[in-house]
Amino acid sequence: MGVADSPNLANLFGYYFERLHGVLTNPKIPFYGRYIDDCLAIVYATSEQEALNIVSSITFDGCVIEWNVSYSNQPFLDMCVYKTL
């Protein structure tokens, strides 16, 4: 992130692979967002393992994406997203 166009290049790189893997049109992923290199997805699944399998199909060449799954809450950037009933 050392030069002014780095965020734009990172976003274009990410968008290319998101379109390639169909994450933006997947009915099991009602919300997918990314801020440069941090991703957040809300996934319809019956278990945490199933949710992990769904999002693990999203890959960016040359990048390692570490997905964390929780039924009730998940940190993202400087906040924590909670699911309530």
Side-chain angles (χ1 to χ4, degrees), residues 11-79:
N11 281 326
L12 287 171
F13 182 79
Y15 181 68
Y16 170 79
F17 289 104
E18 291 160 357
R19 281 196 56 194
L20 183 69
H21 295 293
V23 67
L24 303 174
T25 57
N26 187 334
K28 290 189 176 188
I29 305 174
F31 176 83
Y32 173 85
R34 180 179 40 79
Y35 181 74
I36 303 176
D37 63 344
D38 295 304
C39 303
L40 175 69
I42 296 175
V43 178
Y44 294 135
T46 58
S47 69
E48 291 179 355
Q49 185 60 48
E50 181 184 358
L52 184 59
N53 292 342
I54 292 168
V55 294
S56 293
S57 67
I58 305 164
T59 58
F60 296 8
D61 288 354
C63 295
V64 175
I65 301 176
E66 180 182 319
W67 291 103
N68 296 307
V69 180
S70 173
Y71 178 77
S72 61
N73 65 73
Q74 187 64 43
F76 181 67
L77 299 173
D78 62 348
M79 65 181 172

